[in-house]
Amino acid sequence: MAPHPVRRGGRCPYDTAATGPPSPTWPTAGRRPGDNDGVNDLDTFSLLLADEGRALLASLRAYDPSQELAVATRLRREHDADLVSAALGQARLRQRAVAKFGAADAHRMFFTPNGVEQSTRASVATHRAKAFAARGVRSVADLCCGIGGDALALARAGIAVLAVDRDPLTAAVARANAEALGLADLIEVRCADVTDIDTAPYDAVFVDPARRGGRGRIFDPEAYSPPLSWAVTAALAAPFAALKIAPGIPHEAIPPQAEAEWISDGGDVKEAVLWFGTGVTPGAVRATLLPASADLWTAAPLAAPPVGPVGRYLYEPDGAVIRAHLVAEIVERCGGRLIDETIAYVTSDEVYASPYTSAYEITDQLPFNLKKLKALLRERGVGVLTVKKRGSAVEPEEIRRRVKPAGPNSATVFLTRVAGAPTMLVGHPLPHTTGAPPQSP
């Protein structure tokens, strides 16, 4: 059997979401184009920082955006129109930011539209800050800091931070956030090009290159701003460093000096991180699952896993496990096999409990045939139907529309391939019971 293409071999070897074409290069290091969208300028932002602006924002905490016209008309009777417009925009951004930062922080912080979109989720930033602190890091140069999401987490871990962003408004927002959360003593915000920063005085470097342009996401790491090659050079010059990258990065683009980590939160893959320096195992890969902090790690890839018939149980690995090319480790742990060499579904005849997978008991296996599926679901009285797909072009909503589920029972159907053949697997989820997360080496 050919070696299993788990790392350094291109995109994820298993069927997963397409990543799309690359976007144009951004010309300036450390700048996130579009960060000013929806915010006029520094003068307008300063209105929000004044007592009147802060009071107005506090009054809008529970405001309903669908009532914006009526609210704006009422507020403009007492406040400047520019301030009202800025406050309403900021109130909307704060509501969006609750999902990332939690209500307590989000309603005290300040945002730009791109800042909400691109900032690190607080749970992920906290996980990373703990990794810095565990290595004794006391100071970090946070390059391309954006609105300061990572800087805030680092400061809360007791680490002094130099936070750098080239965009003046973004830097002002980061500074306001440090002050709003009582962390200004630990966070120095500097508006500068990150390529001009001397990082030698700092224990560690963190770089979060911009990965979006005017036409959306950027998929070529050398089109990041700054390019990945520059960020790697900066990381290698530091005693310890981390680079935040897109989770869909081709594995061959990962520098050999790095240990790569893919992080999911609540089952959604959020980002990948390249670690350099003290305590790092070059070439190792890791999948981290939050909030449980389950940690699957290997210093070397396993051989290609076996492929075989569908057993009683089916396991769907977490997306971080798939992105890290660690599906072979799951196969080995459960004593199972893949259902197809290109599909990241694992099967076994014995139940296997793991924080890294969702488990299902399979009751039926059918060739792809919607009439047979509809008849089976009608016979079972299935009215609540969950449709999952991997390796199939058919959309779940089309399946639901065609089979018209009705009845008191529920089921899960997988649209996939088994040994290359289009197949439908029907079953139901098993309770997700796991012990304490295993410790990585």
Side-chain angles (χ1 to χ4, degrees):
M1 186 174 288
H4 181 44
V6 292
R7 294 183 297 129
R8 310 286 188 248
R11 297 191 185 277
C12 180
Y14 303 107
D15 187 275
T16 186
T19 53
S23 300
T25 302
W26 294 348
T28 54
R31 184 176 186 273
R32 290 167 167 77
D35 263 3
N36 293 3
D37 295 346
V39 180
N40 292 331
D41 49 38
L42 281 169
D43 289 339
T44 303
F45 179 62
S46 68
L47 296 176
L48 296 176
L49 301 181
D51 290 343
E52 181 184 6
R54 291 179 185 273
L56 184 55
L57 277 175
S59 73
L60 292 171
R61 175 165 179 158
Y63 119 95
D64 182 355
S66 68
Q67 303 298 315
E68 180 168 334
L69 180 58
V71 173
T73 300
R74 173 175 57 82
L75 293 177
R76 283 170 181 160
R77 298 187 188 119
E78 301 177 5
H79 303 280
D80 177 79
D82 287 343
L83 173 58
V84 171
S85 178
L88 289 172
Q90 194 62 215
R92 291 193 300 273
L93 293 176
R94 284 180 167 184
Q95 290 178 356
R96 287 172 53 194
V98 167
K100 280 191 172 183
F101 293 92
D105 282 352
H107 286 291
R108 290 187 292 164
M109 293 172 63
F110 297 88
F111 300 95
T112 64
N114 276 6
V116 172
E117 180 70 24
Q118 299 179 27
S119 58
T120 303
R121 181 177 291 264
S123 56
V124 178
T126 298
H127 161 75
R128 184 163 38 243
K130 289 179 179 178
F132 276 103
R135 286 173 169 83
V137 170
R138 306 306 303 162
S139 62
V140 172
D142 178 2
L143 309 181
C144 310
C145 69
I147 63 166
D150 279 281
L152 296 172
L154 289 165
R156 281 176 165 165
I159 297 171
V161 184
L162 171 66
V164 183
D165 201 284
R166 181 169 180 168
D167 181 70
L169 178 59
T170 302
V173 171
R175 187 176 296 109
N177 286 335
E179 294 172 354
L181 299 187
L183 298 168
D185 289 346
L186 282 171
I187 300 175
E188 174 195 349
V189 179
R190 191 179 302 176
C191 183
D193 191 313
V194 297
T195 61
D196 294 333
I197 298 298
D198 177 14
T199 62
Y202 299 89
D203 295 342
V205 168
F206 173 63
V207 189
D208 181 6
R211 295 177 299 282
R212 286 184 180 269
R215 285 163 45 181
R217 292 180 181 177
I218 293 175
F219 297 96
D220 177 7
E222 284 307 295
Y224 292 173
S225 179
L228 180 61
S229 57
W230 180 90
V232 170
T233 299
L236 292 174
F240 187 66
L243 309 182
K244 178 179 171 181
I245 56 175
I249 186 172
H251 277 227
E252 73 266 17
I254 297 173
Q257 305 95 327
E259 178 175 317
E261 177 186 24
W262 281 261
I263 303 172
S264 70
D265 189 6
D268 294 328
V269 182
K270 296 303 180 183
E271 63 182 60
V273 186
L274 303 182
W275 295 95
F276 299 82
T278 306
V280 164
T281 302
V285 292
R286 183 186 307 270
T288 299
L289 281 56
L290 302 176
S293 295
D295 185 2
L296 184 60
W297 182 95
T298 185
L302 293 176
V307 178
V310 177
R312 181 176 177 181
Y313 301 101
L314 187 76
Y315 307 103
E316 182 179 29
D318 183 271
V321 173
I322 298 173
R323 288 293 189 183
H325 297 185
L326 289 171
V327 175
E329 277 70 14
I330 298 297
V331 172
E332 181 182 64
R333 289 178 178 221
C334 75
R337 53 202 175 267
L338 297 179
I339 64 171
D340 184 281
E341 64 181 359
T342 64
I343 301 294
Y345 283 142
V346 179
T347 188
S348 72
D349 303 307
E350 302 294 332
V351 69
Y352 167 68
S354 166
Y356 310 114
T357 65
S358 297
Y360 299 83
E361 183 173 14
I362 299 302
T363 57
D364 300 272
Q365 178 176 340
L366 306 170
F368 187 86
N369 185 306
L370 291 184
K371 288 185 178 180
K372 289 184 178 180
L373 177 64
K374 184 175 182 179
L376 176 66
L377 297 177
R378 185 187 303 116
E379 177 186 335
R380 303 279 172 80
V382 173
V384 179
L385 182 64
T386 300
V387 182
K388 291 176 170 286
K389 56 174 268 183
R390 184 163 290 157
S392 174
V394 182
E395 292 300 325
E397 286 304 318
E398 174 68 9
I399 296 294
R400 294 190 189 92
R401 186 182 68 81
R402 296 277 295 275
V403 303
K404 299 177 181 178
N409 300 319
S410 62
T412 301
V413 60
F414 296 86
L415 309 178
T416 187
R417 294 192 302 271
V418 174
T423 303
M424 298 182 296
L425 304 175
V426 181
H428 56 84
L430 296 177
H432 192 76
T433 55
T434 64
Q439 299 298 312
S440 63

